[in-house]
Amino acid sequence: MPAALQRVESASKFLEEASAMLKSDPYSQPARKKLIEGSRGILQGTSALLLCFDESEVRKIIRECKRVLDYLAIAEVVDSLEDLVRFVQDLSPCLSKVSREVDSRQQELTHQVHREILLRCLEEVKTLTPILICSMKIFIQIHSDGGRGGAEAAVNRDYLAQRMSDEINEIIRVLQLTTYDEEEWDADNLTGMKRALNVIDSKMQGGHDWLGDPRALRGGVGEKSVRGILDEARKVAEHCLPQDRDPIKKICSDISSMTNALCELRQSGQGDSPQAESLSRAIEQKLNELTGLVLRAVTNTERSGILQPAHTVTGRLDQARRWLVAPSVDDKGLGQRAIALCVEEARKVADGLPGVQKAELLNLSDEVDSLYHHLAECSRRGDGHTPQALAIANQLIHKLAELKNKIQSAVVSRVVEDFVDTVTPLKTFTDAALAAEGTPGREATFSDRATTLQSFSNRVAKTARMVAAGGCGDNKKLAESLLSGAAQVESLTPQLVNAGRIRMAYPDNQAVNEHFENLRVQYADAVNRVRHHCDEAVDPGHFIQLSEEAIKKHTVLCENAIMSQQPGKMVDNTSSIARLANRVLMVARQEADNSEDPMFIQTLAWAADQLQGTVPPMVHKAKDVALSPSDQTAAARWRTLNNELLGAIGNVKNAVVVYPDDNVPDLPPPPEIQKLYLNDASDRAPPRPPSPHQYPPPRPPPPETDDEDDMFKHTPQPNQPIMMAAHGLHQEVRQWSSKDNDIVAAAKRMALLMARLSQLVRGEGGNKKDLIACAKEIAESSEEVTRLAKELARDCTDKRMRTSLLQVCERIPTIGTQLKILSTVKATMLGAQGTEEDREATEMLVGNAQNLMQSVKETVRAAEAASIKMRTDAGVRMRWVRRQPWYQY
């Protein structure tokens, strides 16, 4: 802060001196220099001052967050009710302050994604806090009484404390972010390494405190901090570059051995011995070295620019196609790794399919794998440019597209089957945990239901990950929500089982009952969220179609049960039919709630009401059949009602699925061969049109071309970050025709202007006036894109699409205004390149340009998605005509 203040003060003095000199001599050259220097200093100093102030505000919030982390770290040593009361009294004001300040901060952020992450983490912390306190109370009660369940209570407490710590660490990470990259995923190696580095930093002070206390006992908070640092460092070593991996692993091994030796000395009462003190100092030194190695590994990985395969099948397919277009070009193995991961994902999906579908998907996977290895061998030999290799590549493109379609179809099938009943596994487990003491087989039943619940959770998590990879296209937000939900379901299940065991041991303890209920609700909410995200990811029409096919299969099984007079099978299959019908009803309600098209809502509501009315009568008649399998009259009534249910399912499907227009005229019939002539056709030729007399015919319109392609003829280099951002936007919008599409036209213009701005910033022609004018044009174009996007959103009938479009476009004007200010600051530096002030101005301008191009790119994607759900009375505002893909030329 002082440097920025000094810069503003010195600039003010320059302006005062310049004013005095110009008053006496209006043409004074030294006065003009002082005026320019003062103006430049005012702009740069004010910008730096604002940036310093903003960073200081973030540091204040982070300091409070770290205080919460310090309290959470000592949760495991609270072993009395008095300590618990003091713990709550100390933690509550810190949490309240963090909640208040983070909520205030998120309202100021320009990136909607960062806002959502902060709000989600904050809400999770608020939810987990009372559950953590309840778990600590249970542990204290069990520990003081010496009863059963102490180990389970400790695991519950540690799990909840760790989850809260993870959420707080995520808040700290997001608060420090200044940009948002749509291509960066939470599952990326670099993102995971940065997260591990933040965790290491948060645990370092606790580790040093433990090392400095010779009386600290083994297994305490400090020792766990040291060992947690080593675990995070090993995670970094798994994903960093080879040259950084071995040093990190070696120093982790050394610290681990030294820590074990120190713990043994302290356990035997020799913590004050010279040997123990020497070990403590050595470990502290090694920890500092480890921090430096991890930081260097993260930096080297970030600078290497090595690309990793995408996290979805759609993204991997795009990477594979780029390589298949030119197999002879070295892409550092990215395309080959992407194909291998697509094949691996297909085989994972095939494991849960029935026989015929499984065989088809596995056979197609084997074909793709064989072709891929053949092409990889040709490329390795240097024959990637031969006709044979190009033919294999073209065949692979079509096979990969077929593989993608089969994966998506199989994923929808898994969603239909695995989420048909999400209530029964949890209900039966809850009943087993709440069973009264003395119930016969109480322990065995609980163990069996716990195993069933664990199996159900594993299946749900596996399906969610499959949907994230193969079922939601390139929807990053949805895919990451699915991955997060899958991890939460997996981690909550053993904690719920532990809480159930404690509940069985202490059925009359109010805190135990409350804790079990809290975790049960958490688990149910997590499963419902995963199911909702899966339903949102898959195509509703395809989902209803597969559900209809599944109902028909269960209908056949019901007929077999009637013929063989097996009432048990009749009941089971009828229950499955009812559950599938309810799932279709749920999806239909979600689609109706998400739409604002009155005709669509009315049609879908009528079909859903009809379906809802057919389920109870069918189930009632099925019970009659189960009670009297030989009653043919009851069976006939059930068949009639079941057919009505199938008809209602068909009506829902017809309401949801958009079919081609029936009014399109049919193609004319082919002519008769006998009436076709090859010779003597001159008399049958149409008459020659009259030639023009006075005026030549009008010139046809020129074909649509991309004149801007000359600007992006060559791929920009890494040292051209602004040009790279402009090139990325241009690559995104050039796939669409700009004819009758104002958003695409405005986005292309912005890409061109940003490319021009890159040239001006690099000193490739132009002057200060040109730079400021270019930035002003970019800001005006950004306002135009925002206006068009808001007009499109106003006529969109899909609520999710409209909200997404408004969220991504609302920050564009703010970033455009910032660009004008930063460009003005940079313009004052054109005569002083290479200085520290110039470097700072350039960094801020680069970050702003990247944010603006990314926001426009997201707006174009959201606008294209929203354009398919327009009001019927809105008329055609924009035409989205996709050009022929580059890999099909």
Side-chain angles (χ1 to χ4, degrees):
M1 183 69 81
L5 285 173
Q6 290 173 6
R7 192 181 302 174
V8 173
E9 290 176 356
S10 60
S12 302
K13 291 179 180 178
F14 277 132
L15 290 177
E16 289 179 1
E17 294 173 3
S19 300
M21 295 171 68
L22 288 171
K23 187 176 182 180
S24 59
D25 183 6
Y27 301 101
S28 171
Q29 194 66 23
R32 291 189 176 188
K33 287 184 178 180
K34 285 182 178 289
L35 183 63
I36 293 173
E37 286 294 327
S39 302
R40 178 187 300 161
I42 286 288
L43 285 171
Q44 292 175 348
T46 305
S47 178
L49 202 62
L50 292 173
L51 190 61
C52 287
F53 176 76
D54 190 66
E55 290 176 350
S56 69
E57 292 298 306
V58 170
R59 283 195 294 271
K60 290 177 184 176
I61 303 175
I62 291 176
R63 186 163 58 244
E64 294 300 323
C65 290
K66 289 186 175 181
R67 287 185 63 191
V68 174
L69 288 175
D70 292 339
Y71 282 118
L72 292 174
I74 64 171
E76 62 184 40
V77 300
V78 176
D79 55 2
S80 68
L81 290 177
E82 293 78 11
D83 291 343
L84 179 60
V85 171
R86 181 59 184 272
F87 175 83
V88 174
Q89 289 175 345
D90 292 341
L91 180 64
S92 297
C94 290
L95 277 177
S96 299
K97 191 172 183 180
V98 166
S99 175
R100 186 170 59 253
E101 292 183 352
V102 171
D103 185 64
S104 175
R105 176 68 181 176
Q106 63 86 17
Q107 297 175 14
E108 302 172 356
L109 299 181
T110 57
H111 292 297
Q112 180 66 26
V113 175
H114 293 167
R115 290 188 206 168
E116 292 174 356
I117 294 174
L118 289 177
L119 287 174
R120 177 184 58 78
C121 292
L122 203 56
E123 191 63 32
E124 197 71 18
V125 168
K126 292 177 182 178
T127 303
L128 291 172
T129 301
I131 305 177
L132 171 65
I133 295 170
C134 186
S135 69
M136 294 172 67
K137 182 179 179 181
I138 293 170
F139 172 79
I140 291 170
Q141 291 176 347
I142 295 176
H143 179 71
S144 60
D145 295 340
R148 291 187 304 152
E152 288 85 354
V155 170
N156 262 347
R157 178 204 59 200
D158 294 346
Y159 164 78
L160 292 166
Q162 185 59 47
R163 268 192 65 187
M164 283 189 66
S165 299
D166 292 342
E167 298 296 341
I168 295 293
N169 277 317
E170 182 69 359
I171 288 175
I172 292 173
R173 184 185 73 87
V174 174
L175 284 173
Q176 298 176 86
L177 296 177
T178 56
T179 60
Y180 173 68
D181 185 1
E182 176 69 21
E183 308 302 326
E184 182 181 282
W185 288 61
D186 286 343
D188 285 344
N189 291 342
L190 183 59
T191 306
M193 291 167 65
K194 288 181 178 179
R195 188 176 286 113
L197 184 61
N198 285 336
V199 175
I200 289 173
D201 180 61
S202 67
K203 292 180 179 291
M204 191 60 69
Q205 187 59 47
H208 283 303
D209 291 344
W210 177 73
L211 292 170
D213 184 5
R215 295 179 178 80
L217 297 178
R218 185 169 191 168
V221 177
E223 182 194 346
K224 289 186 176 180
S225 295
V226 173
R227 299 197 185 277
I229 290 170
L230 298 181
D231 291 339
E232 297 298 328
R234 292 188 183 103
K235 290 179 185 178
V236 173
E238 291 175 3
H239 302 295
C240 66
L241 299 178
Q243 63 266 28
D244 297 321
R245 183 176 303 132
D246 291 338
I248 293 177
K249 286 185 175 180
K250 183 179 183 304
I251 198 170
C252 284
S253 177
D254 294 343
I255 294 174
S256 180
S257 301
M258 296 165 70
T259 303
N260 292 337
L262 180 62
C263 288
E264 291 177 2
L265 288 173
R266 289 183 173 179
Q267 192 71 18
S268 60
Q270 303 179 43
D272 294 328
S273 64
Q275 183 182 1
E277 292 179 355
S278 176
L279 271 175
S280 298
R281 288 193 298 270
I283 293 173
E284 284 192 11
Q285 183 179 355
K286 290 283 186 181
L287 283 176
N288 292 331
E289 291 179 17
L290 178 62
T291 304
L293 288 174
V294 170
L295 180 60
R296 188 179 70 184
V298 173
T299 304
N300 290 342
T301 303
E302 189 170 14
R303 288 177 177 173
S304 67
I306 297 177
L307 296 176
Q308 69 178 76
H311 300 281
T312 63
V313 172
T314 302
R316 292 166 187 166
L317 210 60
D318 289 339
Q319 292 174 334
R321 282 170 175 162
R322 294 189 189 101
W323 173 62
L324 293 173
V325 169
S328 58
V329 177
D330 181 20
D331 67 343
K332 299 181 180 179
L334 180 63
Q336 297 182 33
R337 294 198 303 274
I339 294 175
L341 287 173
C342 286
V343 173
E344 181 184 343
E345 189 65 34
R347 287 171 176 161
K348 286 181 185 177
V349 173
D351 287 340
L353 296 177
V356 177
Q357 294 181 2
K358 179 177 181 179
E360 290 179 355
L361 188 53
L362 288 177
N363 290 337
L364 183 57
S365 301
D366 293 340
E367 288 183 43
V368 171
D369 195 40
S370 176
L371 290 170
Y372 146 64
H373 281 100
H374 193 181
L375 182 61
E377 181 61 24
C378 291
S379 180
R380 188 187 63 80
R381 294 197 308 262
D383 298 333
H385 61 283
T386 61
Q388 180 186 7
L390 295 176
I392 295 173
N394 189 48
Q395 190 178 358
L396 256 177
I397 288 177
H398 295 291
K399 288 291 182 182
L400 283 171
E402 184 181 352
L403 185 68
K404 174 192 171 185
N405 293 334
K406 284 193 175 294
I407 288 175
Q408 291 179 338
S409 178
V411 163
V412 177
S413 180
R414 286 291 298 264
V415 172
V416 170
E417 294 174 5
D418 292 341
F419 292 98
V420 67
D421 182 16
T422 60
V423 176
T424 301
L426 180 59
K427 183 179 182 302
T428 55
F429 172 78
T430 303
D431 292 341
L434 299 179
E437 291 184 282
T439 304
R442 183 168 176 253
E443 292 288 342
T445 302
F446 178 84
S447 298
D448 182 60
R449 300 292 167 77
T451 303
T452 302
L453 183 69
Q454 184 66 61
S455 175
F456 169 74
S457 298
N458 293 339
R459 192 167 67 251
V460 165
K462 185 177 181 182
T463 300
R465 291 191 176 98
M466 286 182 181
V467 175
C472 57
D474 266 342
N475 191 330
K476 173 187 172 185
K477 179 181 175 182
L478 186 56
E480 290 187 338
S481 297
L482 281 165
L483 293 174
S484 173
Q488 189 171 356
V489 168
E490 281 184 331
S491 62
L492 268 173
T493 305
Q495 307 308 320
L496 181 59
V497 172
N498 286 339
R501 292 189 189 280
I502 298 172
R503 166 63 183 74
M504 292 182 69
Y506 303 93
D508 299 326
N509 189 310
Q510 183 179 356
V512 169
N513 285 314
E514 181 183 347
H515 182 60
F516 176 76
E517 179 62 18
N518 285 334
L519 286 180
R520 189 194 67 79
V521 171
Q522 278 252 313
Y523 178 85
D525 289 344
V527 172
N528 287 333
R529 270 198 307 272
V530 170
R531 183 189 63 188
H532 175 74
H533 289 321
C534 287
D535 290 348
E536 185 180 346
V538 300
D539 177 62
H542 197 185
F543 176 88
I544 296 172
Q545 180 183 349
L546 291 181
S547 298
E548 183 182 27
E549 293 174 3
I551 289 175
K552 290 178 180 178
K553 291 178 184 177
H554 286 291
T555 300
V556 173
L557 294 175
C558 284
E559 292 288 355
N560 295 337
I562 293 173
M563 292 177 62
S564 59
Q565 295 191 0
Q566 294 178 307
K569 289 186 177 180
M570 182 69 186
V571 171
D572 292 342
N573 287 290
T574 303
S575 300
S576 297
I577 291 174
R579 292 190 186 106
L580 286 166
N582 286 327
R583 287 283 288 130
V584 171
L585 192 62
M586 188 183 302
V587 171
R589 300 288 190 202
Q590 288 175 358
E591 289 298 305
D593 292 341
N594 185 53
S595 177
E596 290 185 348
D597 187 340
M599 185 178 298
F600 175 79
I601 295 173
Q602 181 180 359
T603 305
L604 191 54
W606 173 83
D609 291 340
Q610 186 185 32
L611 174 60
Q612 189 175 17
T614 61
V615 176
M618 186 276 298
V619 174
H620 181 71
K621 292 302 177 184
K623 289 180 180 178
D624 293 344
V625 174
L627 292 173
S628 180
S630 59
D631 188 351
Q632 294 301 319
T633 304
R637 290 173 182 167
W638 172 81
R639 291 189 186 97
T640 301
L641 292 172
N642 191 65
N643 288 333
E644 290 180 5
L645 185 145
L646 284 169
I649 294 280
N651 291 335
V652 173
K653 181 177 67 174
N654 293 336
V656 171
V657 179
V658 179
Y659 292 99
D661 189 1
D662 295 333
N663 297 324
V664 177
D666 297 331
L667 292 174
E672 298 181 15
I673 300 297
Q674 295 81 359
K675 296 183 179 180
L676 296 178
Y677 296 91
L678 294 176
N679 300 320
D680 300 329
S682 58
D683 56 335
R684 300 183 183 87
R688 184 186 299 273
S691 58
H693 297 287
Q694 295 180 337
Y695 304 103
R699 184 183 297 275
E704 185 183 1
T705 59
D706 275 339
D707 296 334
E708 69 268 17
D709 282 348
D710 293 338
M711 179 73 77
F712 303 104
K713 190 185 305 180
H714 304 290
T715 303
Q717 300 301 314
N719 62 348
Q720 299 175 291
I722 298 180
M723 182 66 80
M724 288 182 70
H727 182 265
L729 175 60
H730 178 258
Q731 289 297 104
E732 177 69 27
V733 299
R734 74 185 298 268
Q735 61 181 315
W736 301 105
S737 170
S738 57
K739 186 178 180 181
D740 296 331
N741 193 315
D742 294 338
I743 285 185
V744 170
K748 285 184 178 180
R749 183 166 179 267
M750 286 191 71
L752 268 175
L753 290 170
M754 190 61 73
R756 175 59 180 158
L757 183 73
S758 173
Q759 294 175 338
L760 292 169
V761 169
R762 291 171 58 86
E764 299 172 1
N767 52 31
K768 300 176 183 179
K769 184 178 179 181
D770 295 331
L771 177 58
I772 296 173
C774 184
K776 184 178 179 181
E777 287 187 67
I778 293 174
E780 291 172 354
S781 296
S782 67
E783 292 177 357
E784 177 70 8
V785 169
T786 305
R787 182 185 64 79
L788 294 169
K790 288 183 177 179
E791 286 183 2
L792 188 65
R794 202 160 37 239
D795 295 327
C796 180
T797 60
D798 190 292
K799 295 179 182 177
R800 283 194 298 265
M801 291 180 178
R802 182 179 61 204
T803 302
S804 175
L805 179 56
L806 290 174
Q807 285 176 347
V808 297
C809 77
E810 69 175 0
R811 63 175 179 263
I812 292 179
T814 303
I815 303 175
T817 303
Q818 292 172 352
L819 182 74
K820 284 198 298 185
I821 298 171
L822 293 173
S823 298
T824 305
V825 174
K826 177 63 182 175
T828 64
M829 304 302 301
L830 288 182
Q833 283 93 339
T835 62
E836 180 67 20
E837 292 83 1
D838 177 65
R839 186 185 62 79
E840 292 178 3
T842 303
E843 286 180 357
M844 289 190 290
L845 183 59
V846 166
N848 181 271
Q850 290 171 336
N851 286 339
L852 182 58
M853 294 294 96
Q854 184 62 44
S855 298
V856 175
K857 189 190 299 185
E858 293 173 31
T859 300
V860 171
R861 291 175 182 170
E864 188 272 329
S867 65
I868 65 174
K869 293 289 185 72
M870 303 300 294
R871 297 184 187 278
T872 54
D873 58 350
V876 178
R877 300 289 184 88
M878 295 182 189
R879 297 177 64 246
W880 293 84
V881 180
R882 188 184 292 273
R883 295 181 172 181
Q884 187 178 6
W886 55 268
Y887 52 82
Q888 292 183 3
Y889 281 118

